């Protein structure tokens, strides 16, 4: 049974804790609900905002349309062989809880992505990643419903056109599909990725002698908790900006002026530079402006201390972008979606 509510506060539906109102809101529990909803004549004419965990969202104004909250649950194994297990997951499942589900069952491939906020359905949209691993590494396929026609379609890994924090759903198919479920191909024998960031150092501190996917997951959780604020305590959407990728030539030029500039080699021509370091060099880390600010432990995270407006955070982000571009000649792009 679909219940469409009117004039709903979205404060509890976004991890920034921004106060904004949706003209209408409906929660859907299965694929059929979505298809039924999209056939309603009144719904077809409304602007729509598809919402998962609200953890990658900045509300800058009220939403004068229909917010569709995805609550599709369920985790099941669809097939298995000697090396792999294929798992299909409802788009409304909590991402971190799904990762823990895999870790507990010895299914490898997602442990580096522990404690990333949000839902499973939102994960492929921006090809979430952390510590040298991205969702595209284990993603097999997803099912989605076309908003205009109500038709269901399968997207393969190739068809999702994954890039760095990017996919076809953020570009030419933006706002056209609602993701219902996602299927992953996970390994029974893990291939560990511990060279990125502080994972190995943290494992050493934890006294881990024998690597396991649980140990890697625990290390990632420990690192993330030490650096990133809990949205329950301080409103935030995790990393606000993408780490920029620049040419080797530009990186070498910057290294002459800033010998300590960190960088991760992506290819013979491209280096990824941590956006947090650039922002910190420009003096933003820990700065507070009334109810909003830049987090004291991680400059990549913008925060709402309570009562902050989405527009204020957007303006702060623009000032940070301008100062980084002025000092380093690098344009930062946001990871968070603005509404």
């Amino acid at each position: 049974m679909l219940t469409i509510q009117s004039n709903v506060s979205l404060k509890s539906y976004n991890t920034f804790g921004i106060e904004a109102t949706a003209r209408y809101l409906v929660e859907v529990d299965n694929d059929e609900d979505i298809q039924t909803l999209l056939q309603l004549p009144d719904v077809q004419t409304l602007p729509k905002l598809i919402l998962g965990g609200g953890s990658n969202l900045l509300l800058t104004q009220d939403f004068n349309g229909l917010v569709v909250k995805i609550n599709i649950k369920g985790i099941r194994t669809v097939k298995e062989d000697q090396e792999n297990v294929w798992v299909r997951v409802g788009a409304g499942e909590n991402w971190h809880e799904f990762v823990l589900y895999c870790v507990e069952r010895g299914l490898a491939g997602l442990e580096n992505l522990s404690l990333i906020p949000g839902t499973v359905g939102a994960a492929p949209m921006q090809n979430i990643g952390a510590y040298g691993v991205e969702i595209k590494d284990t993603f097999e396929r997803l099912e989605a419903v076309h908003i205009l026609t109500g038709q269901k379609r399968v997207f393969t890994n190739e068809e999702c056109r994954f890039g760095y924090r990017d996919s076809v759903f953020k570009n030419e198919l933006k706002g056209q599909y609602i993701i219902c479920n996602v299927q992953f191909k996970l390994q029974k024998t893990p291939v560990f990725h511990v060279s990125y960031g502080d994972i190995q150092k943290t494992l050493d501190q934890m006294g881990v002698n024998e690597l396991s996917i649980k140990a890697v997951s625990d290390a990632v959780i420990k690192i993330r908790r030490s650096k990133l604020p809990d949205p329950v305590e301080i409103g935030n959407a995790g990393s606000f900006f993408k780490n920029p990728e620049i040419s080797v030539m530009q990186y070498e030029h910057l290294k002459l002026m800033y010998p300590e500039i960190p960088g991760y080699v992506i290819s013979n021509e491209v280096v990824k530079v941590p956006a947090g370091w650039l922002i910190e060099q420009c003096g933003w880390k820990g700065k507070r402006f009334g109810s909003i600010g830049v987090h004291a432990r991680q400059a990549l995270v913008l925060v709402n201390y309570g009562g902050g407006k989405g527009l204020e955070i957007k303006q702060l982000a623009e000032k940070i972008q301008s100062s980084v571009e002025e000092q380093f000649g690098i344009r930062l792009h946001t990871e968070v979606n603005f509404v």
Side-chain angles (χ1 to χ4, degrees), residues 167-216:
S167 76
V168 72
F169 302 107
K170 287 184 83 173
N171 295 289
E172 54 267 52
L173 296 184
K174 186 174 183 178
Q176 292 186 39
Y177 281 88
I178 298 175
I179 295 170
C180 302
N181 63 68
V182 186
Q183 188 166 305
F184 297 89
K185 181 183 178 183
L186 302 165
Q187 298 92 44
K188 292 181 177 179
T189 306
V191 176
F192 297 111
H193 300 273
V194 296
S195 61
Y196 204 96
D198 289 335
I199 296 185
Q200 188 59 60
K201 186 173 138 191
T202 305
L203 287 164
D204 293 342
Q205 288 168 353
M206 288 162 63
V208 173
N209 299 318
E210 196 175 330
L211 268 183
S212 67
I213 58 173
K214 184 168 191 317
V216 173

Side-chain angles (χ1 to χ4, degrees), residues 244-260:
E245 295 182 351
I246 63 174
S247 70
V248 170
M249 194 188 296
Q250 186 182 3
Y251 179 70
E252 294 300 340
H253 177 69
L254 284 168
K255 212 160 171 58
L256 293 173
M257 294 184 286
Y258 308 96
E260 70 287 3

Side-chain angles (χ1 to χ4, degrees), residues 10-301:
L10 294 175
K11 188 176 180 182
S12 64
Y13 289 92
N14 73 99
T15 60
F16 255 122
I18 299 289
E19 185 58 83
T21 302
R23 186 176 166 196
Y24 302 110
L25 182 139
V26 64
E27 304 203 14
V28 293
D29 298 325
N30 54 60
D31 309 12
E32 292 72 30
D33 276 357
I34 293 172
Q35 290 174 304
T36 302
L37 178 73
L38 295 174
Q39 285 165 3
L40 300 174
D42 290 349
V43 166
Q44 288 174 346
T45 56
L46 287 170
K48 296 166 197 69
L49 172 62
I50 314 306
L51 203 58
S55 60
N56 198 41
L57 184 69
L58 180 65
L59 297 167
T60 61
Q61 59 193 335
D62 291 337
F63 188 71
N64 189 29
L66 175 67
V67 172
V68 182
K69 172 75 171 77
I70 307 299
N71 289 340
I72 302 170
K73 294 294 196 326
I75 303 173
R76 68 187 183 95
T77 298
V78 290
K79 64 173 175 171
E80 185 174 345
D81 64 19
Q82 286 184 306
E83 295 172 356
N84 302 103
V85 177
W86 285 260
V87 180
R88 187 175 299 164
V89 195
E93 289 283 353
N94 176 278
W95 174 261
H96 177 56
E97 285 172 17
F98 167 57
V99 173
L100 294 182
Y101 171 96
C102 296
V103 169
E104 283 163 14
R105 285 158 182 79
L107 304 177
L110 300 176
E111 55 279 359
N112 288 49
L113 306 179
S114 298
L115 211 64
I116 292 178
T119 58
V120 168
M125 292 184 74
Q126 61 158 14
N127 184 24
I128 61 169
Y131 304 106
V133 173
E134 291 178 317
I135 197 178
K136 71 176 175 64
D137 304 328
T138 50
F139 174 94
E140 175 118 314
R141 49 175 270 175
L142 63 78
E143 285 185 329
V145 174
H146 191 259
I147 290 174
L148 285 181
T149 65
Q151 296 295 309
K152 216 183 237 190
R153 179 182 159 184
V154 170
F155 286 86
T156 62
N157 191 311
E158 197 178 340
E159 287 170 325
C160 288
R161 301 236 290 281
F162 292 124
Y164 172 54
R165 299 298 173 274
D166 205 18
S167 76
V168 72
F169 302 107
K170 287 184 83 173
N171 295 289
E172 54 267 52
L173 296 184
K174 186 174 183 178
Q176 292 186 39
Y177 281 88
I178 298 175
I179 295 170
C180 302
N181 63 68
V182 186
Q183 188 166 305
F184 297 89
K185 181 183 178 183
L186 302 165
Q187 298 92 44
K188 292 181 177 179
T189 306
V191 176
F192 297 111
H193 300 273
V194 296
S195 61
Y196 204 96
D198 289 335
I199 296 185
Q200 188 59 60
K201 186 173 138 191
T202 305
L203 287 164
D204 293 342
Q205 288 168 353
M206 288 162 63
V208 173
N209 299 318
E210 196 175 330
L211 268 183
S212 67
I213 58 173
K214 184 168 191 317
V216 173
S217 173
D218 288 346
V220 169
I221 291 168
K222 192 176 167 74
I223 296 165
R224 291 185 78 91
R225 283 196 174 134
S226 72
K227 287 183 177 177
L228 301 169
D230 183 346
V232 175
E233 293 164 16
I234 303 174
N236 74 90
S239 301
F240 199 91
F241 301 98
K242 298 180 189 180
N243 291 320
E245 295 182 351
I246 63 174
S247 70
V248 170
M249 194 188 296
Q250 186 182 3
Y251 179 70
E252 294 300 340
H253 177 69
L254 284 168
K255 212 160 171 58
L256 293 173
M257 294 184 286
Y258 308 96
E260 70 287 3
I261 186 171
Y264 300 97
V265 176
I266 302 296
S267 68
N268 291 337
E269 293 150 17
V270 179
V271 177
K272 187 189 287 182
V273 178
W277 186 88
L278 298 170
I279 295 164
E280 191 174 339
Q281 297 308 302
C282 293
W284 291 101
K285 191 177 184 182
K287 286 281 170 73
R288 182 168 177 165
F289 307 91
S291 300
I292 65 160
V294 181
H295 195 245
R297 289 200 305 269
Q298 173 54 275
L300 202 52
V301 178

Side-chain angles (χ1 to χ4, degrees), residues 308-319:
K309 305 271 191 296
L311 212 51
E312 294 173 326
I313 293 170
K314 180 173 182 261
Q315 288 163 351
L316 172 59
E318 286 165 353
K319 286 177 186 170

